[in-house]
Amino acid sequence: MFVRSVRHSLFVIVVLALLPLASLATASQPEYSLTLVREGQPTSALVLAVNATRAAQFAALELQEHVRLISGATLPIVTDPSEAVGVRIYVGESPSTRRMGLRSDTFGVQEYLVRFLPDALVLMGRDAEDYGRVDYTSYHTFPALYSRHATEYAVYDFLERYCDVRWYRPGPLGTEYPETKTLTVSGGEVRRKPGFSYIESCMWNVGDARNFDDQTRLWLKTDPEAKAAEALLYGDIRKAIPNDFQYGMELRRIGQLFQHRRRMGGEKFGCGHAFYGYLPRFWKDPNATEQDKRFEADHPDWFAQGWTGKPSQMCYTNKGFIAQVVQDARNYFDGKTPLPYGIQAGGDFFGLGTMDNGSYCQCAECQAWFNPEAAKDGHFTNGKWSDYVWNFSNQVAREVAKTHPDKYLSQFAYASYAMYPTKVKPEPNIAVELCLHLRNWWCPTMRERDLRVVNDWTGDGSGRPAYVYGYWSFPAEIAHSSGNAWYCFPEFLAHESDWQMKYFKERGIRGFFVTLAPGPDGYFNLKLMEDPEADIDEVIDDYFMRFYGNAGEPMKQLYLAIEKAVSTPANYPDWVLNSPSGMHQNAEIAWGHLGTAERMAEFAQLMTKARLAARTPKEKARVKLFEQEIWSYMLAGRKVYAAQESVERPQVKAAYLEGSPAAGDPTKVDWAKATPLGSFVTASGAAPPREIAGRIAHDGKWLYLQLVDPVDPKLLMVNNDTLAAADDWEIFWAPQRMKPYYQLITGPTGASAALVYDPLGTYEYGVSTFKTGVKVVSDVNAPDRWVTNIAMPLADLLPAGVKRGDLLYFNIFRNSKPGGTKFYYWSATFGGPHELRRMGEISIE
């Protein structure tokens, strides 16, 4: 029937502390005390049906393994109840449970039962009719995560509630259990189901344990600290399995076990960006040397019009395209295989998510759906394309409903189509996945916007299934994208997450796509998804006292202190609290306002207390793991920020040229009267190999710049189509060190482009050109220098203009190609040219 063989044991400890789960024991069911193991010898047996479901087999093996870890005894597994000695533990439906009136098909979806009897225990739930053989050593044989396997839930509930087992993270170091030769459990009855029906994490179906680790630590997986943490977590396994492939397979098995134990999976759901597969299917690449094997027919009219090159969106009003989507959905629901490449679907849901960009079709019919009023909204989460996307979704949904009225289409509420549409009412057979910045709710406007999205979509009376795609990976994901140019401050938010989960439950949210949060929050969020009614303070106490043991109290105080720093509005500057459309954490927020030197000193004292308090090898290893994954990153972040702040930002006064004859002509400026800008440097503040210089002045109407690079002009690279791809000067300015900000790019020919970044202040994205009367004269006539003279009208620099007495935040970037690409700056950025916090200051005299 199944194979019981384990190559590696889990090593865990626990104390007696019970976590409340979402339902209470049935009031009428009496409680009984059952001894499962006495003095290391089994006094109970696991009873399975002869033809047990895969879920029941796996659940029995999990229970057997954990009882062995706790007591050292291996409970026998039998199919004939008469062969069971002592307490009979019925796992899954069997003839014995049926005689009790308990059948799997009478349970609700994902519902399970834990029932104590005078001499027996029943652990069962609704399982799929899958009777495949389970081999505990092979994760390929485990029950599918997205299937009905509620008997597992019964076993895991029993282990947590009555045996004090915990799974805080994958692997031996993340598992806790008591060690006792006699295992006695007492209880009555629990009948419940998990708090949400669908949980999909970025561990994916492969489930490698390292996927969890990579997301819940702050270091990049390529950093040495991450490698050291992996060695601490899985060093013994690595020694036992030196082969890379076999080691990887074992970590997949461990990760799969963790996903099952944390009740990930559940009902099948599919959304996703659904039409990337249409490119190889329906677009004939004119540059391809041979035809893609997935090609079906050439339909260039199905793709976004008004763009050149490879399409990046579909034409969502094209009738032929819509008909193809309808047919693909029907084929999926009819079970036709193989599925076309790129289809995003799962269970009763077929995905309609647009491609992940804003390059929408420019044909007249598509553009008629654009909402210009919504376009004035500066939030990343807005509704300027909501009517367009949901009109398309409605057309597909209405057609599919004619043949498959019991099935759903699925669509995101995301970015420019996140808000509830104003011209169309979404069909009730479209499920929605709400994309929310759940880690950014310290910014009031982002919290308000997310709450509006949830309330509008769940309050429209349709009863449509609603899910949440949560960006729990912020702010680490944002910092990681910089390649450690800056380090984020960890956003520990257990109490905020507790409120969110209870709120989502109240609003009828059915489940989550989870990008895992860093540190303990990775566990807390999964725990709250399984049981949103849990008392978060008890969950926190349980975690720190059990996981860290003697070091638990200082580790808890450290966590709470970091959480308080993140959660206290007074710790944020006004430009965060008053931001009209939200923002992400940046280096200035992280270390200038949250991880200040004073707070870091307090955190360090608690970290030292925890290190000294840890006694057992496991406690010491767990404290060390936190140091490697979180604390060392925080120390590095503070150190990098302090070092960068020690490098002064340049400050100059633009000389006033009274009576200057230049009148906007930069070639007529008396540059000897202009203010020298000072030395240019590399991104890290080092001196460049040549003396790049500049001067600045104004006459009350024009700002004048002269930039001089002592380089042979013949070596300059020119690209007038894409200026920034060649030799150029890039000038950045803003009224503050944050978005919106402006950029002038100019090259050796004098060609230029003016850009404004995020003109509405979203702190997300959005770049557009703007008209300005800038004048650029590039002089490449000398053999040993490139001189660029620029005149910029003060009235055009900012929406309200610039006048005498004003202060501009400024930086100048030289992208130099001769001898290999090098970057030079007026103000060191310690990153790229768009690092606004490192802008220098220009005072307009």
Side-chain angles (χ1 to χ4, degrees):
M1 181 188 300
F2 51 87
V3 178
R4 176 64 172 87
S5 173
V6 184
R7 288 175 297 189
H8 300 285
S9 298
L10 302 174
F11 298 93
V12 281
I13 310 174
V14 347
V15 295
L16 300 178
L18 299 180
L19 288 180
L21 293 174
S23 75
L24 302 175
T26 302
S28 61
Q29 180 68 24
E31 293 196 359
Y32 299 98
S33 182
L34 304 173
T35 298
L36 308 185
V37 178
R38 180 174 286 111
E39 295 301 323
Q41 297 301 313
T43 55
S44 60
L46 304 169
V47 181
L48 284 172
V50 172
N51 190 29
T53 64
R54 188 189 298 268
Q57 296 172 53
F58 180 74
L61 291 169
E62 280 279 77
L63 181 54
Q64 185 186 56
E65 168 67 359
H66 284 87
V67 171
R68 183 191 68 79
L69 290 169
I70 292 168
S71 67
T74 300
L75 303 184
I77 299 178
V78 302
T79 56
D80 183 350
S82 67
E83 297 178 3
V85 176
V87 176
R88 296 171 182 175
I89 305 174
Y90 298 103
V91 182
E93 182 183 336
S94 67
S96 298
T97 67
R98 289 195 288 271
R99 285 193 291 271
M100 300 177 200
L102 297 174
R103 302 177 61 93
S104 175
D105 59 9
T106 64
F107 284 75
V109 175
Q110 299 188 359
E111 186 183 23
Y112 62 86
L113 171 71
V114 177
R115 177 178 288 176
F116 284 74
L117 297 170
D119 57 355
L121 182 66
V122 178
L123 304 172
M124 66 177 295
R126 183 73 171 266
D127 293 339
E129 294 182 3
D130 175 1
Y131 303 98
R133 187 167 177 259
V134 175
D135 177 350
Y136 198 59
T137 67
S138 173
Y139 71 88
H140 295 289
T141 69
F142 294 175
L145 283 171
Y146 300 97
S147 67
R148 295 177 180 174
H149 48 88
T151 294
E152 280 184 42
Y153 302 158
V155 165
Y156 294 140
D157 190 316
F158 172 75
L159 286 169
E160 281 190 307
R161 191 187 297 267
Y162 301 108
C163 299
D164 292 323
V165 176
R166 301 287 184 271
W167 306 283
Y168 295 120
R169 62 185 301 160
L173 199 59
T175 310
E176 267 296 319
Y177 55 87
E179 295 185 51
T180 177
K181 292 297 182 182
T182 298
L183 177 60
T184 298
V185 293
S186 300
E189 178 173 303
V190 174
R191 187 160 182 157
R192 70 180 294 271
K193 61 181 180 180
F196 298 94
S197 62
Y198 161 81
I199 300 174
E200 181 174 357
S201 82
C202 287
M203 291 183 71
W204 314 112
N205 287 331
V206 171
D208 193 314
R210 290 169 294 189
N211 291 351
F212 179 93
D213 305 327
D214 290 341
Q215 291 174 61
T216 56
R217 72 168 60 100
L218 290 177
W219 289 104
L220 289 165
K221 63 182 179 181
T222 53
D223 289 324
E225 293 82 356
K227 302 294 184 183
E230 180 181 337
L232 187 59
L233 283 162
Y234 309 116
D236 290 342
I237 296 173
R238 187 56 160 156
K239 290 177 183 177
I241 310 177
N243 179 271
D244 287 344
F245 176 78
Q246 292 176 348
Y247 172 69
M249 290 300 99
E250 179 60 11
L251 291 192
R252 286 189 179 186
R253 188 184 79 91
I254 289 172
Q256 284 281 0
L257 287 172
F258 181 75
Q259 289 189 92
H260 281 273
R261 293 165 181 174
R262 288 268 44 94
R263 284 70 137 187
M264 297 188 208
E267 78 167 329
K268 292 181 180 178
F269 174 70
C271 193
H273 298 287
F275 301 115
Y276 286 100
Y278 275 47
L279 280 164
R281 291 174 65 194
F282 302 114
W283 182 69
K284 192 172 184 179
D285 188 347
N287 299 316
T289 56
E290 60 181 59
Q291 194 60 57
D292 194 302
K293 294 179 180 179
R294 297 164 294 189
F295 182 75
E296 297 178 28
D298 191 20
H299 291 288
D301 57 314
W302 291 7
F303 295 88
Q305 306 299 300
W307 304 89
T308 59
K310 187 176 182 179
S312 55
Q313 277 291 359
M314 310 303 299
C315 176
Y316 294 103
T317 60
N318 184 279
K319 302 301 181 185
F321 164 65
I322 292 171
Q324 182 63 54
V325 177
V326 170
Q327 189 58 54
D328 283 348
R330 286 172 173 162
N331 289 345
Y332 168 74
F333 290 132
D334 288 339
K336 294 183 180 180
T337 56
L339 293 174
Y341 170 73
I343 293 296
Q344 300 289 313
D348 293 336
F349 303 89
F350 183 88
L352 302 177
T354 72
M355 294 173 176
D356 195 6
N357 61 75
S359 303
Y360 289 114
C361 183
Q362 297 182 22
C363 78
E365 190 172 357
C366 288
Q367 287 295 313
W369 287 99
F370 179 73
N371 186 334
E373 285 301 311
K376 298 176 183 178
D377 182 347
H379 280 271
F380 172 82
T381 298
N382 62 69
K384 61 186 177 184
W385 289 107
S386 289
D387 290 310
Y388 175 56
V389 171
W390 286 91
N391 173 66
F392 154 71
S393 304
N394 276 353
Q395 292 188 65
V396 177
R398 284 192 285 266
E399 289 301 310
V400 173
K402 295 175 182 178
T403 54
H404 299 82
D406 59 337
K407 304 299 183 183
Y408 286 93
L409 289 307
S410 58
Q411 183 58 274
F412 291 119
Y414 168 60
S416 61
Y417 55 98
M419 307 307 293
Y420 201 88
T422 59
K423 296 180 181 178
V424 300
K425 185 172 179 61
E427 294 292 326
N429 64 328
I430 309 176
V432 64
E433 187 165 38
L434 312 174
C435 300
L436 306 175
H437 295 78
L438 299 175
R439 306 290 289 182
N440 296 63
W441 284 15
W442 40 264
C443 183
T445 52
M446 291 189 85
R447 186 178 194 273
E448 292 167 8
R449 178 53 54 95
D450 277 356
L451 291 175
R452 178 180 166 188
V453 168
V454 176
N455 292 335
D456 286 354
W457 280 103
T458 60
D460 70 346
S462 67
R464 74 180 75 257
Y467 301 83
V468 165
Y469 187 118
Y471 300 122
W472 282 283
S473 57
F474 294 155
E477 181 180 331
I478 304 299
H480 289 169
S481 67
S482 77
N484 286 350
W486 69 278
Y487 296 70
C488 68
F489 184 82
E491 292 181 359
F492 292 161
L493 293 166
H495 289 86
E496 180 74 10
S497 294
D498 177 58
W499 186 93
Q500 290 172 348
M501 292 302 164
K502 289 174 171 56
Y503 164 70
F504 290 142
K505 186 67 177 177
E506 176 188 319
R507 298 302 302 182
I509 298 298
R510 290 172 61 162
F512 304 90
F513 182 90
V514 182
T515 55
L516 294 163
D521 282 20
Y523 166 75
F524 293 151
N525 286 345
L526 292 174
K527 175 61 186 172
L528 291 168
M529 288 174 191
E530 193 276 325
D531 180 18
E533 299 306 316
D535 183 314
I536 188 58
D537 291 313
E538 292 185 22
V539 173
I540 291 172
D541 285 345
D542 175 87
Y543 175 86
F544 286 102
M545 298 307 118
R546 298 284 297 282
F547 192 66
Y548 293 107
N550 291 294
E553 186 59 33
M555 289 301 296
K556 183 179 80 167
Q557 293 306 317
L558 175 59
Y559 176 90
L560 294 175
I562 293 173
E563 182 189 36
K564 182 179 180 181
V566 175
S567 303
T568 302
N571 291 341
Y572 294 89
D574 289 343
W575 50 266
V576 170
L577 300 178
N578 299 326
S579 169
S581 49
M583 60 182 56
H584 284 295
Q585 188 187 108
N586 57 29
E588 185 61 29
I589 294 172
W591 306 108
H593 296 275
L594 300 179
T596 61
E598 294 75 16
R599 288 198 187 98
M600 287 295 288
E602 295 173 6
F603 301 157
Q605 291 179 359
L606 291 168
M607 195 73 250
T608 299
K609 288 181 180 179
R611 194 183 304 112
L612 295 175
R615 297 177 187 174
T616 69
K618 183 168 285 187
E619 290 172 0
K620 292 178 180 179
R622 288 170 171 171
V623 171
K624 184 178 181 181
L625 185 64
F626 183 89
E627 290 189 272
Q628 289 178 333
E629 293 188 317
I630 306 295
W631 179 241
S632 64
Y633 180 93
M634 294 174 67
L635 290 174
R638 180 67 221 172
K639 181 178 181 180
V640 165
Y641 177 81
Q644 293 174 358
E645 289 302 292
S646 70
V647 177
E648 292 186 0
R649 299 170 179 84
Q651 299 176 331
V652 301
K653 294 181 179 180
Y656 176 52
L657 304 178
E658 186 173 5
S660 171
D665 184 346
T667 64
K668 295 182 178 180
V669 174
D670 184 353
W671 291 109
K673 296 181 179 179
T675 305
L677 288 173
S679 299
F680 278 66
V681 295
T682 66
S684 61
R690 58 186 188 269
E691 187 66 29
I692 299 172
R695 287 178 173 272
I696 192 166
H698 78 95
D699 60 10
K701 292 185 178 180
W702 295 85
L703 184 69
Y704 300 105
L705 273 172
Q706 184 181 72
L707 303 171
V708 181
D709 185 352
V711 65
D712 183 351
K714 294 178 182 179
L715 301 178
L716 297 175
M717 182 185 299
V718 176
N719 187 331
N720 282 337
D721 291 328
T722 308
L723 294 172
D727 275 277
D728 73 358
W729 292 100
E730 299 181 24
I731 302 163
F732 297 86
W733 69 94
Q736 65 287 303
R737 290 189 175 103
M738 59 179 290
K739 294 184 178 180
Y741 66 101
Y742 302 81
Q743 179 185 20
L744 176 70
I745 308 173
T746 184
T749 66
S752 65
L755 304 175
V756 55
Y757 289 80
D758 199 5
L760 298 175
T762 66
Y763 214 83
E764 289 285 351
Y765 71 89
V767 182
S768 60
T769 60
F770 74 99
K771 292 182 180 180
T772 178
V774 66
K775 300 177 184 179
V776 178
V777 178
S778 175
D779 183 354
V780 293
N781 295 315
D784 59 352
R785 66 179 56 85
W786 172 29
V787 180
T788 300
N789 295 311
I790 303 171
M792 305 168 71
L794 291 172
D796 292 348
L797 291 183
L798 297 175
V802 176
K803 60 184 183 302
R804 295 189 67 180
D806 284 352
L807 176 70
L808 280 178
Y809 293 96
F810 220 78
N811 207 354
I812 304 171
F813 169 59
R814 170 72 172 98
N815 181 10
S816 174
K817 299 300 183 181
T821 300
K822 302 293 182 183
F823 304 135
Y824 306 117
Y825 300 83
W826 180 54
S827 179
T829 64
F830 302 96
H834 296 265
E835 292 289 333
L836 305 182
R837 72 183 182 90
R838 290 295 309 171
M839 281 182 159
E841 297 179 7
I842 299 289
S843 299
I844 309 300
E845 280 193 332

